[in-house]
Amino acid sequence: MVIFKFNSGFEHICEGYDVTRDGKVIGFIGVAGGFRKSVDIELAEDECNAVRDMCKRVYEMPSEWGVLGVGESPTEPFADFLARYPNWIAV
């Protein structure tokens, strides 16, 4: 099971979410909603779905200057965004 942990480089500023499994960081979801694995690991289907759902939530959050929670939300639907960048979420 994957768990998402608020990642803040500075106090009260979210730069994205660490994706953990069994207590170890396996990847990162950045402010644009993209997921990067940091280790070579296979994810179960339910874990992939959880990561995709969180990527969508993060994508839809307001972000500006690489920080979540400020600025404007994107106007393009997540599905349209993914259609243009099919490898954005590589799980």
Side-chain angles (χ1 to χ4, degrees):
M1 177 176 167
V2 293
I3 297 171
F4 305 101
K5 183 181 175 203
F6 180 82
N7 178 305
S8 86
F10 302 99
E11 188 175 337
H12 306 296
I13 296 177
C14 184
E15 296 176 332
Y17 288 86
D18 289 326
V19 181
T20 62
R21 181 177 178 198
D22 299 327
K24 297 178 185 171
V25 175
I26 62 165
F28 180 76
I29 299 174
V31 295
F35 173 64
R36 293 188 316 261
K37 279 193 217 177
S38 57
V39 296
D40 187 22
I41 191 169
E42 290 293 322
L43 298 176
E45 184 177 349
D46 63 330
E47 293 173 324
C48 288
N49 291 335
V51 170
R52 282 188 190 98
D53 290 344
M54 187 59 155
C55 287
K56 182 178 189 275
R57 287 180 58 203
V58 171
Y59 172 79
E60 292 172 346
M61 289 180 191
S63 64
E64 196 170 330
W65 305 302
V67 178
L68 285 172
V70 297
E72 306 271 332
S73 293
T75 57
E76 180 179 30
F78 188 62
D80 293 349
F81 176 76
L82 283 183
R84 288 189 301 121
Y85 302 101
N87 295 323
W88 189 256
I89 302 170
V91 291

